[in-house]
Amino acid sequence: IRDMFAIAGFAAGDVVINAFGYHLIPTGLALDQVLTEIGATVIPAGVGNADLQLKMMLDLGTTGYIGTPSWLMALIEKAEERGLNFRDQFSLRNTLVSAEPLPPALRQVFVEKYGLSVTNAYGTVELGFLAFNTEGGLAMRLLQAPIIQVVNPETGQSAGPGETGEVVVTTFNETYPLIRFGTGDLAVNLDPAPGESRQEERSIILVGRVGDAVKVRGMFVHPNQLRFALGQVAAVARAQAVITRPENRDRLTLRVVLSDESADHETLTQQLGAAVESACRVRVDRVEFTAADALDEDAEAILDERSWD
């Protein structure tokens, strides 16, 4: 945790508002203790009461924030509703956000509109912080310790570069040692030099939870991966991947509803195939363009119609 605060730019003398919960979960208290140890002053705000938190931030000259990105945005919006100029009237500069996804567009707002330094961190209650991102994008660089692996959830073997697997961690902490602890989180393994790179040179892209993934031709595909891929093609309003298994071979079909019916289907088919293969490492067998009423807005991202009888 101490290393993570150093990466995020927190130091002695900072006044930091801690918007993580203190009640029944250890996150808020654990971060509070480490911040105090490095010489920062901590405002133990916890969750909720935006008006009070804004008053404390303004009156106490808060320079740092730790909490979820959505709550930070809620505080900024509340300040602006009250007629305050957040960038000019508040002292906030460094932020460490975690516990939920940070959309690229929201990071851009924090950085460009409000002049904030944003560090997005990934961690678990049991292990603390494991990876981080300070520059944007989806990839998060692994910390030097503890030992972090990305493995096939079924075999326990390491996932190859660009493959998706479960984040598994080993820590030799004397108080709470864990050997190959499965976090349940799925991530794409990014390794620039397999077998040679140091852990801190590797990165991961979080894509969801193990239970939500569907295995297609040996590769785990998560709904979030698919949504990201489809989001790269502007003309797509919504889509669904349908997995079937004719002749004992997995077949992936994309059912697509377009926002622009005049878009060229052949070009879109190529773009969709390339986007899905790049993000999910699985080739699309067929793209079917369908009417809006044929695919509900709340339809599952991946429909598995395979029969294993």
Side-chain angles (χ1 to χ4, degrees), residues 110-134:
F110 288 150
V111 174
E112 297 183 2
K113 185 175 182 179
Y114 299 107
L116 300 177
S117 171
V118 180
T119 299
N120 184 26
Y122 159 64
T124 73
V125 170
E126 300 88 356
L127 300 159
F129 292 121
L130 302 173
F132 67 96
N133 178 305
T134 59

Side-chain angles (χ1 to χ4, degrees), residues 34 37 43 46 49 80-81 91 112 120 139 160 177 179 223 230 235-236 247 272 298:
V34 176
E37 290 173 1
I43 304 171
N49 202 334
E80 292 179 336
E81 288 173 6
S91 302
E112 297 183 2
N120 184 26
I179 307 298
L230 298 175
V236 175
E247 300 178 354
L272 287 165
D298 58 353

